[in-house]
């Protein structure tokens, strides 16, 4: 076991080096050995896929390693993130070497000879590196061809293939990190929040919260019996994180389109409660401009009436429990304000009136 | 290969020109032209690779100074990279150009350019997906983790769009206009062999718009059909049926492909034919009458063109067995009337022929047998009946269910009571539909005489090959050749298989009988067909079966 873990450590180092200029000192023999190592680890993946104890040990080691090299730091290098990644570690290594201009000509030549032996001999074998690389190239180009012709893009955000794929990867990664870290993936999420463009990340989070819990995800994993069957676990982690990070939750509710937040709220009651709280809070910041006869913001960052109304309206168009709770909440706010029926005195009265006439 | 290399320069110019015209395949016209040429271009690339791998890098540059341009243009065209094996061959070509130890700056430059190209094909995110690149990178993933999932989602999204369209055409929100469906089928044509595209191919094939005319590209059908025939793609039966119903050239091609397979495979046993048949999916698809009729027409032509070659007869018979089996599996109740499958034959005749002998106890077979024989005879001999199509149609139907004629031959010998003449008529008719009543009368008279001699021999305590041979009429003293020697051989062979002492003399009789290769082949065909039929009908005949199998093996060794 210990030697296996050491092997893993060595290979992780090789992989880390493979992206640096240090490869300039590699000769053909080094390249060959590195690929052999990767092949060996792939074999380990196949051999111990069902072996829970070994898998868990390897997974822990990989995770610690990933954290050490700065997996959550700004300059991190994606490496082997999980046991599953071992399945394609040879692919990963090959791609890095192919892309690394520091690799010398002789070493590169030998790399090509090993990766692309040409037609014939190896083709009958179950899965060659040559085949996997070509398949990847085909898939990339197929994606490109479809996008070139405007397919696979949609205005409905949660159905957008790019966002959806990111969401699936996010959930898968959250499960892996969640298993390896005692306190769950919370710190990991926060580090992502700091490093990624916020709007894109929020969209991905929303899409992840909307993925059907029955979707067979992550794909192709017959080998790993204890891998989570549903993304439910990962999306629960996301909910916990959002509930703990009130400022991020506020940005989430504020910057995403009303319909999208409504859908998320419909799926996650805890988030709905927070959203409703935020909406009423935002409403309290508005005051009535007697001269213009409209509700206006006190400060520039306040939510304007139109947006507030739009968000309430979207919730009221959602299926029943959401709509009823929203109306009850508005009614109780209105009661607290004195239960006026005349417009211009309480924003809740006006909102209810507008919603009724708008519906 | 030397020859290939000779033709290369002119091809080279052509493809160089094409690639320049195509550019990065950004307009619909260039895309169409690209898609149309992809198979040929792949072939060219293959030849190019064969030529390149024999030369060293500098020779290549000398002979093809613009090779870099050619390969670069190909690398930048996403259709080429996505098609079949083109990306792989392109990589091989690039590998041929690389210098292990570059001697000058020119060679170094070439090397770094090749590395750029390879990296363009194999790694790094596409320029339009930078934000995705950062995201995956931060999660700890590589493009290899991302692209398969993205492609899957894109395909699923298109599939659900098509389904929604199908179910709810008036839903304007996600409606795919016909032109978009059409162009999707065009874009997909070169991509269909990617396993990820299977659901989309299926959805397109089963998608019918509201427009009366076909909305999918013919090239799409061609591509799917070719891939299916070459086993590069596997699709459910329903999708294949849609393909063949929507695009007749594909169905024709599938039938011809089956014919080619049957012809090119040496020594066809019926079991093998059955495997080819089932593998082709044609018998199952034929449950749809339109497909059945088309396949059947092609069989009819094959039969007419070959003047009733026994191989074609056997193929039709096996096809029908498989077809009937599929029809029974498909539904307990027939969805279409038999008339739709056999429009030119008498429906009641088809009904009786279709009766599965397996469902009838062996002892009662004589009833349907007599019924079939009499009915056929009536139809054939009654002028009014065949006024339109002649006895050929009745014969063609009988050929499908040829097993009945073989059962007749067996029963003529084995039935305890004197067999009815109608059975003999059936046997003679099954040999040829041609209306030469005089010929048939002669053949029947001969058959009757041989039959009575053979039946007598059945009761004799000792058998000799000479007796059997004599009974078969070879030494009857009549100098004229028999009218239908085939009929006599058929009766004699059945006698050998069923007579109690048949096995002791069978080899000797067969040696006397098989005077030409043609006759030997006929005997082999008979034995194979008989064994196949017994298996199909689950006949218990251990002794006869053993003998037939032994004879078949021995005869096959000799041819």
């Amino acid at each position: 076991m210990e030697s296996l873990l050491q092997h893993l450590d060595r290979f992780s180092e090789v992989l880390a080096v493979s992206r640096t200029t240090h490869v300039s000192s590699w000769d053909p023999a080094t390249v060959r050995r590195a690929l052999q190592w990767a092949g060996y680890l792939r074999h380990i993946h196949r051999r111990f896929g069902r072996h829970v104890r070994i898998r868990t040990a390897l997974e822990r080691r990989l995770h610690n390693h990933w954290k050490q090299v700065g997996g959550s730091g700004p300059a991190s290098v994606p490496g082997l993130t999980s046991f599953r990644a071992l399945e394609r570690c040879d692919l990963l290594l090959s791609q890095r070497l192919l892309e690394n201009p520091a690799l010398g000509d002789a070493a590169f030549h030998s790399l090509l000879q090993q990766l692309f032996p040409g037609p014939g001999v190896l083709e009958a074998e179950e899965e060659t590196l040559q085949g996997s690389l070509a398949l990847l190239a085909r898939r990339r180009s197929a994606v490109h061809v479809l996008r070139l012709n405007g397919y696979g893009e949609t205005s409905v955000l949660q159905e957008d293939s790019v966002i959806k794929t990111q969401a699936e990867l996010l959930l898968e990664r959250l499960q892996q990190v969640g298993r390896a870290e005692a306190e769950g993936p919370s710190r990991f999420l926060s580090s992502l929040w700091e490093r990624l463009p916020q709007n894109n990340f929020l969209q991905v989070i929303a899409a992840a919260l909307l993925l059907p819990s029955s979707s067979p995800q992550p794909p192709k994993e017959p080998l790993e019996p204890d891998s989570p069957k549903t993304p439910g676990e990962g999306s629960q982690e996301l909910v916990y994180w959002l509930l703990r990070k009130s400022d991020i939750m506020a940005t989430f509710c504020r910057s995403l389109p009303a319909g999208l937040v409504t859908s998320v709220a419909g799926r996650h009651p805890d988030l709905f409660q927070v959203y409703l709280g935020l909406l009423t809070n935002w409403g309290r910041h508005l005051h009535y401009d007697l001269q213009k006869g409209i509700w206006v913001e006190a400060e520039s960052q306040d939510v304007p009436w139109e947006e507030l109304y739009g968000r309430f309206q979207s919730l009221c168009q959602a299926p029943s429990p959401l709509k009823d709770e929203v109306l009850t909440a508005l009614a109780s706010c209105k009661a607290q304000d004195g239960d006026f029926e005349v417009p211009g005195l309480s924003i809740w009265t006006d909102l209810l009136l507008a919603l009724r006439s708008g519906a | 290969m030397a020859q290939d290399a000779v033709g290369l320069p002119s091809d080279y110019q052509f493809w160089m020109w094409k690639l320049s015209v195509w550019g990065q395949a950004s307009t619909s016209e260039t895309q169409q032209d690209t898609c149309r040429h992809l198979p040929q271009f792949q072939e060219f690339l293959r030849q190019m690779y064969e030529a390149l791998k024999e030369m060293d890098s500098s020779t290549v540059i000398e002979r093809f100074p613009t090779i870099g341009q050619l390969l670069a243009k190909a690398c930048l065209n996403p259709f080429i990279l996505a098609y079949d094996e083109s990306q792989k061959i392109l990589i091989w070509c690039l590998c041929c150009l690389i210098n292990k130890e570059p001697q000058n700056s020119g060679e170094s430059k070439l090397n770094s350019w090749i590395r750029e190209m390879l990296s363009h094909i194999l790694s790094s995110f596409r320029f339009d997906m930078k934000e995705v690149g950062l995201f995956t990178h931060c999660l700890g993933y590589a493009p290899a983790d991302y692209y398969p999932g993205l492609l899957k989602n894109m395909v699923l999204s298109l599939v659900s769009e098509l389904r929604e369209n199908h179910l709810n055409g008036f839903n304007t929100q996600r409606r795919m206009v016909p032109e978009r469906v059409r162009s999707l089928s065009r874009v997909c044509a070169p991509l269909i062999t990617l396993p990820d595209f299977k659901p989309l191919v299926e959805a397109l094939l089963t998608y019918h718009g509201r427009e009366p005319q076909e909305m999918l590209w013919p090239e799409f059908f061609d591509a799917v059909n070719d891939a299916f025939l070459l086993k590069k793609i596997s699709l459910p039966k329903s999708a294949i049926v849609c393909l063949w119903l929507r695009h007749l050239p594909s169905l024709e091609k599938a039938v011809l492909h089956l014919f080619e397979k049957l012809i090119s495979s040496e020594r066809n046993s019926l079991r093998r034919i059955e495997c080819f048949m089932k593998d082709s999916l044609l018998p199952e698809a034929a449950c749809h009458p339109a497909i059945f009729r088309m396949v059947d027409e092609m069989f009819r032509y094959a039969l007419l063109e070959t003047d009733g070659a026994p191989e074609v007869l056997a193929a039709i018979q096996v096809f029908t067995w498989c077809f009937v089996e599929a029809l029974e599996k498909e539904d307990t109740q027939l969805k279409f009337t038999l008339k739709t499958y056999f429009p030119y034959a008498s429906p009641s005749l088809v009904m009786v022929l279709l009766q599965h002998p397996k469902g009838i106890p062996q002892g009662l077979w004589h009833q349907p047998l007599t019924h079939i024989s009499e009915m056929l005879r009536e139809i054939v001999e009654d002028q009014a009946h065949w006024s339109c199509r002649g006895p050929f149609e009745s014969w063609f139907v009988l050929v499908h269910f040829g097993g009945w004629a073989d059962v007749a031959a067996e029963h003529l010998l084995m039935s305890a009571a004197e067999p009815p003449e109608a059975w003999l008529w059936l046997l003679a008719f099954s040999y040829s539909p041609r209306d030469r009543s005089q010929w048939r009368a002669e053949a029947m008279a001969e058959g009757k005489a041989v039959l009575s001699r053979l039946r007598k021999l059945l009761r004799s305590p000792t058998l000799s090959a000479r007796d059997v041979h004599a009974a078969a009429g070879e030494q009857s003293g009549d100098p004229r050749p028999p009218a239908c020697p085939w009929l006599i051989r058929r009766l004699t062979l059945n006698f050998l298989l069923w007579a109690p002492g048949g096995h002791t003399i069978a080899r000797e009789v067969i040696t006397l009988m098989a005077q030409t290769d043609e006759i030997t082949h006929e005997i082999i065909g008979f034995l194979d067909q008989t064994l196949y039929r017994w298996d199909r009908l689950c006949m218990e005949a251990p002794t006869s079966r053993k003998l037939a199998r032994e004879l078949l093996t021995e005869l096959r060794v000799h041819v």
Side-chain angles (χ1 to χ4, degrees):
Chain A
M1 186 63 177
E2 197 43 43
S3 79
L4 194 60
L5 290 173
Q6 274 170 11
H7 259 300
L8 194 62
D9 290 346
R10 286 300 87 71
F11 183 74
S12 297
E13 284 161 24
V14 169
L15 204 55
V17 171
S18 70
R19 271 174 73 115
T20 65
T21 50
H22 293 301
V23 294
S24 59
S25 63
W26 284 22
D27 60 6
T30 324
V31 171
R32 205 162 38 246
R33 234 180 5 254
L35 281 173
Q36 276 167 356
W37 237 337
Y40 169 73
L41 284 175
R42 228 177 74 137
H43 169 74
I44 295 294
H45 174 269
R46 238 174 309 166
R47 173 93 171 66
F48 294 111
R50 290 178 206 284
H51 204 298
V52 179
R53 201 173 58 85
I54 296 185
R55 264 191 52 148
T56 318
L58 289 173
E59 193 121 293
R60 286 254 155 76
R61 188 72 148 229
L62 283 172
H63 184 74
N64 289 338
H65 204 275
W66 180 71
K67 264 193 347 192
Q68 273 170 26
V69 296
S72 46
S76 84
V77 169
L80 293 169
T81 47
S82 68
F83 181 76
R84 225 189 106 195
L86 291 181
E87 195 188 358
R88 319 157 273 92
C89 60
D90 48 357
L91 204 62
L92 196 60
L93 177 69
S94 331
Q95 283 194 303
R96 290 200 178 167
L97 290 177
L98 281 170
E99 262 183 289
N100 193 340
L103 192 68
D105 284 301
F108 192 81
H109 186 261
S110 132
L111 176 69
L112 287 187
Q113 277 183 331
Q114 289 186 62
L115 293 183
F116 303 107
V121 239
L122 283 166
E123 293 219 274
E125 240 179 69
E126 22 138 18
E127 197 188 320
T128 60
L129 207 43
Q130 172 169 271
S132 317
L133 283 164
L135 180 62
L136 182 63
R138 272 192 88 185
R139 284 178 162 153
R140 277 159 34 88
S141 305
V143 166
H144 191 50
V145 162
L146 287 178
R147 283 172 68 92
L148 197 65
N149 286 277
Y151 292 104
E153 285 162 1
T154 154
S155 52
V156 190
L157 201 76
Q158 62 268 38
E159 281 164 15
D160 182 87
S161 306
V162 174
I163 298 281
K164 201 173 153 197
T165 312
Q166 288 174 307
E168 285 172 356
L169 287 178
L170 175 66
L171 287 188
E172 183 188 317
R173 193 77 189 100
L174 287 182
Q175 285 162 354
Q176 288 165 359
V177 176
R179 275 204 303 271
E181 291 261 353
E183 77 269 34
S186 165
R187 195 183 309 169
F188 173 63
L189 274 168
S190 300
S191 84
L192 287 177
W193 175 248
E194 279 156 29
R195 291 155 64 199
L196 289 169
Q198 292 192 352
N199 201 42
N200 177 243
F201 190 42
L202 290 174
Q203 288 173 346
V204 173
I205 291 176
L209 289 171
L210 287 173
L211 280 181
S213 47
S214 57
S215 95
Q217 199 272 334
K220 63 179 180 202
E221 220 45 43
L223 262 181
E224 298 171 33
D226 62 337
S227 73
K229 300 288 182 293
T230 63
E233 203 183 299
S235 71
Q236 214 43 53
E237 293 292 354
L238 265 179
V239 171
Y240 292 151
W241 181 71
L242 282 174
L243 288 174
R244 275 199 301 268
K245 305 278 175 186
S246 53
D247 49 335
I248 298 176
M249 178 63 189
T251 320
F252 179 86
C253 295
R254 177 76 202 267
S255 57
L256 292 179
L260 187 57
V261 186
T262 301
S263 307
V264 172
R267 287 279 297 275
H268 301 277
D270 293 347
L271 295 180
F272 169 60
Q273 291 307 331
V274 179
Y275 185 38
L276 196 54
L278 282 166
L279 285 175
T280 42
N281 196 25
W282 293 338
R284 290 201 182 97
H285 284 256
L286 299 188
H287 63 89
Y288 197 68
D289 186 329
L290 273 173
Q291 280 173 341
K292 292 186 191 150
I294 50 168
W295 291 89
V296 292
E297 310 90 277
E299 284 170 52
S300 62
Q301 75 267 28
D302 287 343
V303 182
W305 160 267
E306 291 75 18
E307 194 192 326
L308 197 63
Y309 168 71
R311 289 184 180 274
F312 273 114
Q313 192 190 32
S314 164
L315 284 172
C316 286
Q317 282 160 355
S320 193
L322 237 54
K323 179 185 175 180
D324 298 342
E325 282 194 49
V326 168
L327 291 177
T328 318
L330 283 174
S332 98
C333 287
K334 181 184 156 214
Q336 278 173 20
D337 268 9
D339 225 353
F340 299 105
E341 293 297 340
V342 232
L345 288 176
S346 159
I347 186 163
W348 313 117
T349 309
D350 290 13
L351 269 172
L352 278 166
L353 278 173
L355 285 171
R356 243 172 250 139
S357 62
Chain B
M1 200 210 69
Q3 214 177 358
D4 287 345
V6 172
L8 264 181
S10 65
D11 279 357
Y12 186 94
Q13 291 311 322
F14 172 75
W15 289 115
M16 191 64 149
W17 170 72
K18 271 283 175 206
L19 287 167
S20 310
V21 174
W22 292 341
Q24 297 190 21
S26 43
T27 71
S28 162
E29 287 73 31
T30 52
Q31 286 185 8
Q32 280 174 36
D33 196 51
T34 312
C35 291
R36 216 162 270 153
H37 286 87
L38 284 172
Q40 284 158 270
F41 182 67
Q42 175 159 306
E43 203 33 55
F44 165 74
L45 269 182
R46 216 181 272 281
Q47 287 175 15
M48 201 69 214
Y49 167 68
E50 290 300 329
L52 292 185
K53 76 171 182 194
E54 304 293 327
M55 308 176 201
D56 64 25
S57 180
S58 50
T59 325
V60 173
I61 303 298
E62 220 167 87
R63 271 204 60 191
F64 303 103
T66 52
I67 183 86
Q69 275 181 51
L70 182 107
L71 296 179
K73 283 183 205 292
C75 285
L76 290 174
N77 190 315
F79 281 89
I80 294 174
L81 291 186
Y83 177 68
D84 200 39
E85 291 193 300
S86 295
Q87 69 304 108
K88 211 191 278 181
I89 309 170
L90 207 48
I91 294 170
W92 292 339
C93 288
L94 286 169
C95 289
C96 292
L97 297 189
I98 202 138
N99 270 297
K100 193 175 177 183
E101 282 149 5
Q103 302 299 321
N104 50 50
S105 69
E107 289 181 0
S108 294
K109 245 172 90 183
L110 180 68
N111 269 12
S112 64
W113 172 81
I114 291 168
R115 288 166 76 154
E116 236 170 76
M117 283 297 119
L118 284 170
S119 153
H120 171 82
I121 303 176
L122 290 164
S123 36
S124 69
F125 276 94
R126 290 272 181 212
F127 54 90
D128 60 341
M129 294 211 157
K130 283 255 165 58
E131 87 276 20
V132 177
L134 177 64
F135 185 88
T136 15
H137 179 91
C138 285
L139 282 186
Y141 288 121
D145 301 297
Y146 173 72
Y147 275 106
L150 175 61
L151 188 57
K152 182 200 76 186
N153 282 333
M154 288 174 93
V155 165
L156 288 183
S157 149
L158 285 166
V159 168
S160 71
E161 227 174 306
L162 279 173
R163 295 248 160 87
E164 263 176 54
N165 232 14
H166 198 48
L167 295 174
N168 185 9
F170 301 106
N171 176 359
T172 44
Q173 206 195 354
R174 286 189 71 186
R175 183 159 156 72
M176 231 195 215
V177 294
E179 199 32 61
R180 203 165 138 79
V181 177
R182 188 173 169 76
S183 101
L184 179 62
S185 72
R186 173 175 57 74
V187 169
C188 279
L191 309 174
I192 50 158
T193 53
L194 257 175
D196 316 68
F197 274 78
K198 193 178 153 187
L200 186 55
V201 172
E202 230 180 291
L204 278 169
L205 286 176
T206 48
Y207 176 78
H208 292 276
R210 280 163 173 74
E211 288 67 27
Q213 71 274 37
E214 180 56 68
M215 58 162 52
L216 302 186
W217 265 70
E219 281 90 347
F220 171 75
F221 291 125
D222 284 334
V224 176
N225 197 49
D226 288 349
F228 172 73
L229 295 180
L230 295 174
K231 298 207 175 307
K232 285 187 167 188
I233 182 176
S234 78
L235 286 169
K237 193 192 84 188
S238 54
I240 294 295
V241 169
C242 284
L243 164 70
W244 288 339
L245 284 175
R246 290 175 83 162
H247 195 241
L248 277 184
S250 287
L251 176 57
E252 267 175 20
K253 202 166 176 189
V255 179
L256 289 176
H257 185 78
L258 172 68
F259 285 1
E260 266 163 32
K261 261 176 141 177
L262 291 176
I263 293 167
S264 62
S265 121
E266 258 179 84
R267 188 181 282 179
N268 268 330
S269 70
L270 294 209
R271 280 264 162 245
R272 253 180 96 97
I273 297 182
E274 184 187 317
C275 289
F276 284 133
M277 287 282 173
K278 288 196 166 155
D279 195 47
S280 75
L281 221 64
L282 283 165
E284 279 184 72
C287 290
H288 197 292
I291 293 181
F292 180 90
R293 294 274 301 281
M294 181 80 189
V295 179
D296 211 38
E297 276 304 294
M298 291 182 75
F299 271 129
R300 179 200 299 266
Y301 280 112
L303 207 54
L304 291 172
E305 291 292 319
T306 57
D307 206 15
E311 292 81 2
V312 182
L313 288 170
I316 296 180
Q317 247 181 69
V318 176
F319 174 78
T320 315
W321 282 108
C322 299
F323 160 69
V324 172
E325 204 174 66
L327 209 56
E328 281 166 357
K329 238 184 260 166
E330 175 110 322
D331 213 333
T332 40
Q333 288 203 313
L334 275 180
K335 266 195 268 173
F336 301 95
T337 60
L338 289 171
K339 185 91 188 152
T340 49
Y341 296 101
F342 300 97
Y344 306 125
S346 137
S348 47
L349 175 66
V350 178
M351 267 311 253
V352 264
L353 284 171
L354 201 58
Q355 286 181 73
H356 210 308
K358 205 172 149 187
I360 309 165
Q362 219 171 316
L364 299 177
W365 281 0
H366 62 274
Q367 276 173 2
L369 205 52
T370 311
H371 191 183
I372 291 168
S373 312
E374 284 170 353
M375 199 187 255
L376 259 175
R377 191 170 187 173
E378 196 182 310
I379 296 172
V380 170
E381 286 174 0
D382 178 1
Q383 299 282 329
H385 253 102
W386 49 270
S387 52
C388 49
R389 288 243 174 185
F392 177 82
E393 283 312 318
S394 304
W395 180 75
F396 187 54
V397 181
L398 178 65
V399 162
H400 287 75
F401 307 91
W404 281 114
D406 299 327
V407 172
E410 254 165 33
H411 280 241
L412 277 167
L413 278 159
M414 303 310 297
S415 80
E418 190 62 27
E421 206 189 68
W423 296 356
L424 197 58
W425 183 90
L426 181 69
L427 194 58
F429 178 67
S430 78
Y431 176 70
S432 166
R434 269 165 291 193
D435 179 46
R436 288 178 297 166
S437 24
Q438 205 201 328
W439 168 83
R440 199 170 291 133
E442 265 173 49
M444 279 179 64
E446 272 167 26
K448 213 167 163 185
V450 171
L451 189 63
S452 90
R453 291 199 289 270
L454 286 174
R455 283 177 65 92
K456 229 173 264 160
L457 276 181
L458 270 178
R459 290 189 294 272
S460 94
T462 52
L463 269 183
S464 79
R466 285 226 340 242
D467 292 343
V468 177
H469 197 55
E474 304 280 326
Q475 293 158 10
S476 59
D478 193 337
R480 279 182 308 155
C484 187
W486 173 87
L487 187 101
I488 296 168
R489 282 195 291 271
R490 185 74 26 137
L491 289 171
T492 315
L493 287 167
N494 270 303
F495 175 86
L496 293 174
L497 292 182
W498 289 100
H503 64 279
T504 53
I505 53 161
R507 288 165 183 84
E508 210 183 327
V509 176
I510 286 178
T511 316
L512 286 170
M513 212 191 303
Q515 277 157 7
T516 62
D517 280 354
E518 208 186 333
I519 298 178
T520 312
H521 278 290
E522 182 192 309
I523 298 172
I524 290 175
F526 164 79
L527 291 168
D528 181 36
Q529 217 159 317
T530 306
L531 279 165
Y532 180 78
R533 177 171 47 89
W534 288 348
D535 285 345
R536 277 272 178 182
L537 301 178
C538 308
M539 287 253 298
E540 295 267 357
T543 334
S544 310
R545 200 184 275 264
K546 184 165 169 275
L547 176 62
R549 196 158 292 138
E550 283 170 7
L551 290 174
L552 186 59
T553 322
E554 288 162 25
L555 284 173
R556 273 191 176 148
V557 174
H558 292 298
V559 289

